[in-house]
Amino acid sequence: MRNMLLVTSVLGAALVAMLPAGAAGAQPADDGSLKVQATTGTDQLPVTGVGVGITTCAAGPVLATLTTGGDGTVTQTFPHGCYQAQVTSVPSGCELASIAYVQIDVAPGTTPVAAFQFRCA
């Protein structure tokens, strides 16, 4: 019986070690992701360094402040629900060419996009 328990423990540890990175701490099933995308021009060139505040649609406190990276995007996991993404800072030499905020519904297993357009010199 001890040998069976030892073999089972070793096999279990080996299976956990073979899981892809992050699989052990995967997001809960009721979470989704929210993606912010900042672009400029008709060619949809990425805009780096755009700050976006995320609140619930019920207008509570800012839950997160996200900043777009080199590809003009940033993504973060949130529990399912209604969120508002609002531009809070614009990189030097750019100005907002679209509305300053959008409403996004996050659902389990989805990644809705809050898209913002800019004009940059």
Side-chain angles (χ1 to χ4, degrees):
M1 184 61 141
R2 281 188 179 167
N3 286 342
M4 180 65 124
L5 288 174
L6 177 63
V7 169
T8 304
S9 297
V10 170
L11 288 175
L15 287 174
V16 169
M18 292 182 351
L19 287 173
Q27 67 186 27
D30 62 345
D31 284 357
S33 295
L34 187 151
K35 180 177 183 177
V36 172
Q37 182 176 32
T39 57
T40 182
T42 56
D43 293 334
Q44 300 293 298
L45 300 173
V47 180
T48 302
V50 174
V52 177
I54 307 297
T55 62
T56 64
C57 291
V62 174
L63 302 173
T65 300
L66 310 178
T67 304
T68 59
D71 64 351
T73 69
V74 60
T75 303
Q76 184 165 317
T77 300
F78 290 95
H80 73 279
C82 182
Y83 295 90
Q84 183 171 297
Q86 182 169 355
V87 174
T88 57
S89 65
V90 177
S92 179
C94 294
E95 64 181 26
L96 193 59
S98 66
I99 59 172
Y101 67 91
V102 294
Q103 205 167 12
I104 299 291
D105 288 318
V106 173
T110 66
T111 306
V113 178
F116 298 98
Q117 288 286 315
F118 294 85
R119 284 188 218 87
C120 299

